[in-house]
Amino acid sequence: MDSSLTLVIFGITSNLAQIKLIPALYDISEKNLLPNTTHIIGVARAPQDESWIKNYFHQTLHLENKHHQHPISEDVLSKLNDKLNYMNGQLNDLNFFQELKQKITELGSTNTIFYLATYPDLYKDIFDNLKKVGLNEQTNGFTRVMIEKPIGEDLPSAQRLNKLLAEYFTEDQIYRLDHYLGKETLQNILTFRFGNGTFEPLINKDHIDHIQITASENFGIGKRGGYYDKVGALKDVGQNHQLQMLAFALMDPPSEFSNTAITKERTKILKNLQPIPEKVVFGQYEGYQQEENVEKDSKTDTFYALKTFINIERLKDVPIYIRAGKNLKETVTEISIIFKTPTNRLFQHIDCGKDPNVLIYRIQPNEGIVLKILTKKPGHTIDLDDSYMQFCYRSSNELPDAYEKLISDAIRGDQTFFNDAEEVEAQWKFIDPLVKTKTIPIVYSSKSWGPKEADDLIKEDSREWLEPSMMFCNI
Amino acid sequence: MDSSLTLVIFGITSNLAQIKLIPALYDISEKNLLPNTTHIIGVARAPQDESWIKNYFHQTLHLENKHHQHPISEDVLSKLNDKLNYMNGQLNDLNFFQELKQKITELGSTNTIFYLATYPDLYKDIFDNLKKVGLNEQTNGFTRVMIEKPIGEDLPSAQRLNKLLAEYFTEDQIYRLDHYLGKETLQNILTFRFGNGTFEPLINKDHIDHIQITASENFGIGKRGGYYDKVGALKDVGQNHQLQMLAFALMDPPSEFSNTAITKERTKILKNLQPIPEKVVFGQYEGYQQEENVEKDSKTDTFYALKTFINIERLKDVPIYIRAGKNLKETVTEISIIFKTPTNRLFQHIDCGKDPNVLIYRIQPNEGIVLKILTKKPGHTIDLDDSYMQFCYRSSNELPDAYEKLISDAIRGDQTFFNDAEEVEAQWKFIDPLVKTKTIPIVYSSKSWGPKEADDLIKEDSREWLEPSMMFCNI
């Protein structure tokens, strides 16, 4: 890339910047994916001297090395240092934005990206001020804005935010980031399904019995009570991550590899979700109300499970069971496609167990794809064994972090793995009615798989939740 | 099993008995799969004292431990010893059969199996003599006869042998043994295809581009020249092993797990082979004519490659390429199903290489099933990688030897994995016309994949032979 870039990060001292953005910038820099002339301007409130940001990046990268998992090269860091600038300012202060504009002009880049690592309630001030100084315009190059999920907290607020964004930017300038969309394991589903001729013929109601999506964590909310207690499991991971997973696993073949085509197909799945799911269960882990910054009589869901359908002909009447929660038995995110038992009668005299064939997209950990099959048990009789055909990433270290990929995509101008306004609103259209059905959540024990009612939800259909296996791709 | 058994092995000193039957009897004995009262009568020409056979088994098992691959337990051997009897005799000598009958009567078993580990030219004498003394009859129990492939050396001789057998035995008494039918890896194809719901939907002309069957050895004929020079590659492995492989991989779903149903479906595939294959190439490895016991101007094929079709609607116009030979680059036996490139256009801008999807049944070595797929190469671009989903047997040691399984099947009276007369004749009906087209074989270099003309045979169709990977299931 020849064109120059200024990347402005509002909130450079935020948790997000420390844990995700700074490591991602380091990795992008190491891989020479930044334009030759790149300037990074970190913005925060505290006045600091010129060299502060270099030390801050240095410290952050070494501190956060556990997220980063490979040694920091001083050479790469030094090159990254040369790009770093720091400005302090209040984001509701027009004067600051005038200084910012002057700084950007001095740096002389044709292209600008604004990354809003701030609370959403600051967005309007930032947009207003950017507009007042003319920084939202695209003149010679591009101007892009990156904001984080969640987009809104329900359909009306998401619509308001999208409308607000549209006042300042065109849709091609807006990068709504849900880091799940940047995950290799999710993006690989596209390749797996549409790059191969052997799986897609099975992804339909003729062959699929049902689908399960699990996103579980074996830990609680930690210090995130202030945020989490207002949000809960359904909005925290259901509205975004899990619906994205569903869309990747089940969307129709896009007509080409383009943002428009792929986002359109994802959105189509979301728009065709049965509006009010047949069943839903909310749970709260024992002791949640005693967590830091949580209301003492909190009714926030730390677990949910639901059953729904996608109303497209290909998937008609295929039940979809989704669950997510905190303080559960395992930390695992996966999509399981449970296939029908074969109709031929060759092995009907043998007990083949339940669910002989399951295709598992393991999003994390032990990233990979697993196909459960029956094979003949070696020996003198025709007995059958559960076996597993596995594709595993050699190690999760080789997988670029989602932020690294998505920031790089935004620099390249590729919106394929970002949400557009329509997609986000389709997600909320499904979630809002669910939220309205919410009653007092059922308390469940830590390290369980949630309340018994979540088991009943699927057992009523003579099915059961699959126990995620930690054996797969345990490299 | 309560009923008693006498197992008579004609040719107890044969190579087959030493390498296969005696180790198999040991294994069956170790697994307690012999009827409680079992007598084994080994028959050979040389007079020996009573204890000779015990020493012979002992020595053979220790010598052949390399085939056998697990420690010999003296305890098991001692129990096996108690069952052993030896008789010397000429197989064309009626007196000997009278003695044999007397011996069997003395031993008092209700059931008898005659295993003919002899040259086929002795069969008629044996059958005649068995009949003359009434040993072919089934009175209280069963009387079964086991003979080895090849059944005949062409269609007329196979028909003659089947007719001969029918004069003495009913079809349910006759166990025509092709040890390939006893291989776990071949039998597992049934489970893989019909026990699962995820593969069979693909085994048809809509999804398959073509099929390849390879049976290659990286060594020459060794000391087998006397036999091999009369037979050649096509008759040695093509007529039997490779056609069995083809039948397992492509047969229609049998209506139930029974000998009748499964053998019928295998035979249907063989009967529907295009009678005169489109193309065939014969080869002979350089230096073959100098091998021991080979004619100096031998025209015997040590390699062949052919293209054919199966004329059933499900597989209409799906080309089948078969090759086998000696002194080739690798020792490997496998069936590869090469699927069509997917029709959707998502990845058409990317070079996906040839044959993105291949299902490989690896019969030996590194036994397993492998599905070649395309996955996304981890990183910032949408590049694709060949990847492999594998089901591997943990080690080939855990797989019972084919003879062990088949002898045990014969004792249980299960003919599923034996050839019936019709199946063998169907094989010859396909092979005979091919043999008639045979010209002087093309000389090829050792450690190659055969003559260039074999490559051309498939290249003319814009395809190529897959290089068998020794990486799969290399445990």
Side-chain angles (χ1 to χ4, degrees), chain B residues 15 217-233 236 284-296 298 300-303 325-328 444 446-447:
Chain B
N15 199 36
E217 288 171 325
N218 67 2
F219 47 84
I221 55 162
K223 294 181 184 303
R224 292 179 67 224
Y227 166 75
Y228 195 91
D229 200 40
K230 290 200 277 293
V231 176
D236 188 43
Q284 188 183 79
Y285 64 79
E286 208 169 14
Y288 172 77
Q289 293 177 345
Q290 284 76 57
E291 297 275 22
E292 201 179 314
N293 296 324
V294 164
E295 299 285 334
K296 292 306 152 215
S298 171
T300 297
D301 52 307
T302 65
F303 173 96
K326 295 208 169 265
N327 254 342
L328 298 179
Y444 60 93
S446 283
K447 313 305 167 197

Side-chain angles (χ1 to χ4, degrees), chain B residues 236-250:
Chain B
D236 188 43
V237 298
Q239 176 263 337
N240 37 73
H241 302 335
Q242 290 193 294
L243 292 186
Q244 306 288 11
M245 288 163 68
L246 184 70
F248 272 97
L250 295 174

Side-chain angles (χ1 to χ4, degrees), chain A residues 375-385, chain B residues 27-28 31 33 181-188 191 257 391 393-409 412 414 417:
Chain A
T375 56
K376 182 185 176 305
K377 202 177 281 187
H380 288 260
T381 51
I382 304 292
D383 285 329
L384 304 183
D385 240 354
Chain B
D27 289 331
I28 296 172
K31 290 175 186 164
L33 295 169
L181 287 175
K183 282 190 181 286
E184 279 290 342
T185 44
L186 209 65
Q187 294 188 4
N188 187 35
T191 310
F257 207 103
F391 159 72
Y393 288 99
R394 286 180 294 281
S395 82
S396 53
N397 279 3
E398 74 174 324
L399 301 183
D401 183 77
Y403 278 89
E404 178 194 328
K405 279 165 62 82
L406 293 172
I407 293 172
S408 159
D409 283 357
R412 285 188 296 110
D414 183 347
F417 299 109

Side-chain angles (χ1 to χ4, degrees), chain A residues 145-160:
Chain A
V145 59
M146 299 182 75
I147 60 174
E148 286 277 325
K149 75 110 182 154
I151 304 298
E153 53 194 33
D154 53 18
L155 180 59
S157 59
Q159 285 170 328
R160 278 196 302 275

